[in-house]
Amino acid sequence: MKTMATKTTSSLMQGKKLGAIALLVASCFGGAAQAATLTGNVGYVSDYLFRGISQTNEGMALQGGMTLTADSGFYLSTWGSNIKFGNGSMELDILAGWTGKINEDWTIDVGAMQYRYPNGDNETDQFNFNEFYTKFIYKDLVLGFAYSDDYFASGVNEYYYLSADYTYVLHESLSLLLHLGHNQFADNAEYNTFIAAGPLRGDAYLDWSVGLGTSVLGSAVQLKFASTNIEGSAGCDLCDGRLVLSLSKTF
């Protein structure tokens, strides 16, 4: 387990890394303010799940964000949601990255983000953490990789997330949505520290979902069933399977 001094030093170093990336991306907007696009989104979800685990104690969430994208592919983004764990009541994410074509068929999206939890980052909780991500996109398939060296700043060091998302068009107004994620921890001790409902064997868990998506009056509507492979085996009620309804509008 890390000491408080080590934890503070690690957080400062991560903050500097993310800040440097954000400054680099921001510099790419310099002199090109007229060639940038600002978009936003607002939404409702019946239960905010993050990698298969409820962040709202099985309650609803209101969410929204904004993204500034340059023609060069660089972007800055922020996104927020209400949460219900620890002393925090809000999650506020900050992203900086770049997306562009690798070749005719593949697109890549790389960047860094900081998950921030106002009132949830103190001597007791210290939830804020940084994550670096890469996504490879081929038509309706998205393959993702994310890495953090201080996941949820909760005594968990190295963490990797591998994901695959596929959208299959059933009809011009209806799509099948498939997701599979692999949550990899450094060892069994850190895995159990994160879940805090064990004891669990191994050092990883899977999250997955199957759903349907459509559009109603210009808004995206999704209904999915989401779960994890530790449902019912860890005393973790927030890891159990559930139906989730979401509505979102992009503008």
Side-chain angles (χ1 to χ4, degrees), residues 15-82:
K16 290 180 180 179
K17 291 178 185 177
L18 187 67
I21 293 173
L23 287 173
L24 176 61
V25 174
S27 69
C28 296
F29 287 86
Q34 302 301 316
T37 302
L38 180 65
T39 58
N41 63 85
V42 293
Y44 159 88
V45 61
S46 61
D47 190 351
Y48 170 27
L49 301 185
F50 181 69
R51 295 169 182 169
I53 301 176
S54 176
Q55 307 295 287
T56 48
N57 197 24
E58 302 183 324
M60 56 80 68
L62 297 177
Q63 304 172 333
M66 301 190 74
T67 300
L68 182 65
T69 307
D71 285 352
S72 60
F74 287 96
Y75 61 85
L76 293 171
S77 181
T78 183
W79 182 89
S81 173
N82 61 285

Side-chain angles (χ1 to χ4, degrees), residues 213-246:
T214 188
S215 179
V216 178
L217 299 177
S219 299
V221 180
Q222 296 183 4
L223 179 64
K224 65 180 181 181
F225 180 82
S227 188
T228 70
N229 69 330
I230 52 176
E231 176 183 8
S233 64
C236 179
D237 294 336
L238 303 183
C239 307
D240 291 347
R242 68 203 63 210
L243 280 173
V244 178
L245 173 67
S246 65

